[in-house]
Amino acid sequence: MYNLFPLLVGHFGQWEAHLERAAAMRFDWVFVNPLQKTGASGSLYSIADYFQLNPLLVDPKSKKTAEQQLRALIQQAEKKHRLRFMTDLVLNHCAIDSPLLKQHPEWFVCEHGQVQRPFCLEDGGHKVVWEDLAQFDHGRSHDNGLYAYFRKIIESYIDLGFKGFRCDAAYQLSPELWRQLITDTKQKHPDVVFTAETLGCSAERTKQTAQAGFDYIFNSSKWWDFESPWLPEQYQLLRQAAPSISFPESHDTPRLFAESNGNAEALKQRYLFSAVFSSGVMMPMGYEYGFSKPLHVVHTRPEDWENTEVDLTEFITQVNTVKADYPVFQEEGPFNLIGYPQSPILFFWKASLSGQQEALILLNKDPWQRHEFSTPDLYQYVQSRAPFTDLSPEYPLAYVPSPYHFDLLPGMVRVMVTTQ
């Protein structure tokens, strides 16, 4: 999944080159952040009108309407590049200055006569309130027409050509509400994909949300230190509820290239891990070029495009090709960390759900220094003891020996799959 950030790209007439690049890197989905008309804050996630498109994205030279421009763009991307489009489905809140507050005040949570703003608690208990947003009252959605409005929003997006939804802050809506929304939508559009963004809530709450019928959930592997037990534990808890999508960074995080002090090996390490760890992988635009400026939902503009000396497009293409060609990397199959405590090498085994493929992954946790790995019998770690194919994007071996020894370059990842 390639995250095309609309404020960085600009109007619809400027999207083609980015779609062509995404397809060349073998992404099969394009995820775009909200395209709707915003409130006064200008935030993409502060939607004032769900049925109008953001004027910033309309090509002023086109004679087509905004909707016709977007519909034609999506159709062309699917036909020419075999790219399906996904967008954010923001149903937890709308803009505080949306006309909906006057038209349907009964749709919103009110306390002491005031519309409730969404908030979150950061580490340390600090409360962050989004003053530009108004919280929908989902508890009464079936009684006052709000549910029908949500269904109308979904149908309008599908009519524009979208085949999937990233459901923003999905845990803020009840599993029962999601179950009905997903069921009702799929009765009419069985191929539409629903993914749940549940970052920041507990693993158990994520599981409850996933079981509401979501096709995928987003996981938190971006924050894993390659040692702590929480990510493998979450993987085992959630893998049968719904497959997951990893990402090395997102529009909500700092740029990894800036966080790693300009280390391109850290970018390759994190992307390859994300791709082989979970069923899906998402990458925001600019990652392939080592962009440092974070994506901002209000202020980013096409002028923020960076000219860098980094180009990982070939590397990412190789990784995506491996992911597309081997089922073991498209599933949440059995997973096991192989014990090397306090080692600079992450070593894990993963198998396909059918049991026909097994993979061994070696990852140098250190993106700055080389580290050696040795084992007298590499085949003891797989059940089939079938021969390995080295699928590593850098310096693959034509033959995988046992005993096995490899001097891993900074951040290097080795990927080996059994062949029957």
Side-chain angles (χ1 to χ4, degrees), residues 299-319:
H299 301 302
T300 292
R301 291 294 182 270
E303 295 75 34
D304 293 309
W305 189 266
E306 302 173 51
N307 294 316
T308 72
E309 297 180 356
V310 176
D311 187 347
L312 302 182
T313 54
E314 183 177 348
F315 178 87
I316 291 165
T317 302
Q318 290 178 280
V319 174

Side-chain angles (χ1 to χ4, degrees), residues 92-93 107-109 115-118 133-137 172:
N92 181 48
H93 55 256
W107 286 1
F108 297 90
V109 177
V115 174
Q116 180 74 31
R117 270 76 161 175
L133 305 179
Q135 179 106 26
F136 283 124
D137 186 356
Q172 299 283 1

Side-chain angles (χ1 to χ4, degrees), residues 165-220:
F165 299 102
R166 172 192 176 270
C167 300
D168 184 62
Y171 61 95
Q172 299 283 1
L173 281 68
S174 71
E176 293 74 24
L177 181 54
W178 279 123
R179 187 172 292 109
Q180 185 165 0
L181 279 170
I182 294 171
T183 299
D184 289 349
T185 301
K186 291 203 171 196
Q187 284 180 348
K188 189 175 180 181
H189 310 282
D191 295 331
V192 168
V193 172
F194 284 84
T195 67
E197 187 271 298
T198 58
L199 304 177
C201 70
S202 68
E204 190 57 43
R205 182 74 176 271
T206 298
K207 183 177 181 180
Q208 293 171 2
T209 303
Q211 290 174 329
F214 282 96
D215 298 284
Y216 291 88
I217 57 174
F218 285 86
N219 66 52
S220 301

Side-chain angles (χ1 to χ4, degrees), residues 49-241:
D49 191 329
Y50 286 90
F51 302 101
Q52 288 192 51
L53 294 174
N54 191 329
L56 290 173
L57 305 178
V58 180
D59 185 351
K61 296 180 181 180
S62 176
K63 295 181 180 179
K64 297 178 179 178
T65 66
E67 290 73 18
Q68 288 171 339
Q69 290 178 34
L70 178 57
R71 190 177 290 111
L73 186 154
I74 293 176
Q75 289 174 350
Q76 177 71 0
E78 192 163 339
K79 181 179 179 180
K80 182 178 178 180
H81 301 302
R82 297 183 180 180
L83 290 169
R84 289 174 288 178
F85 267 66
M86 177 179 294
T87 191
D88 266 303
L89 185 59
V90 183
L91 302 183
N92 181 48
H93 55 256
C94 70
I96 192 66
D97 52 344
S98 169
L100 289 175
L101 277 82
K102 292 183 178 179
Q103 296 167 359
H104 295 283
E106 72 278 9
W107 286 1
F108 297 90
V109 177
C110 290
E111 290 186 3
H112 310 296
Q114 297 293 320
V115 174
Q116 180 74 31
R117 270 76 161 175
F119 67 90
C120 73
L121 296 176
E122 292 184 337
D123 293 341
H126 177 64
K127 185 177 181 178
V128 177
V129 180
W130 287 281
E131 296 291 349
D132 63 333
L133 305 179
Q135 179 106 26
F136 283 124
D137 186 356
H138 305 107
R140 299 176 56 238
S141 62
H142 285 81
D143 300 331
N144 56 25
L146 181 57
Y147 179 82
Y149 187 76
F150 288 164
R151 285 285 297 118
K152 184 179 178 182
I153 292 171
I154 293 171
E155 287 296 328
S156 72
Y157 292 175
I158 294 173
D159 180 65
L160 288 169
F162 289 103
K163 298 294 195 300
F165 299 102
R166 172 192 176 270
C167 300
D168 184 62
Y171 61 95
Q172 299 283 1
L173 281 68
S174 71
E176 293 74 24
L177 181 54
W178 279 123
R179 187 172 292 109
Q180 185 165 0
L181 279 170
I182 294 171
T183 299
D184 289 349
T185 301
K186 291 203 171 196
Q187 284 180 348
K188 189 175 180 181
H189 310 282
D191 295 331
V192 168
V193 172
F194 284 84
T195 67
E197 187 271 298
T198 58
L199 304 177
C201 70
S202 68
E204 190 57 43
R205 182 74 176 271
T206 298
K207 183 177 181 180
Q208 293 171 2
T209 303
Q211 290 174 329
F214 282 96
D215 298 284
Y216 291 88
I217 57 174
F218 285 86
N219 66 52
S220 301
S221 64
K222 183 260 183 300
W223 292 277
W224 193 39
D225 61 3
F226 297 130
E227 292 185 13
S228 304
W230 64 265
L231 184 66
E233 290 172 356
Q234 284 188 8
Y235 181 91
Q236 299 297 349
L237 176 67
L238 299 173
R239 73 181 186 89
Q240 293 182 342

Side-chain angles (χ1 to χ4, degrees), residues 250-267:
S250 76
H251 73 274
D252 285 324
T253 72
R255 289 288 197 176
L256 182 56
F257 195 63
E259 285 186 308
S260 63
N261 296 314
N263 188 337
E265 303 307 320
L267 298 183

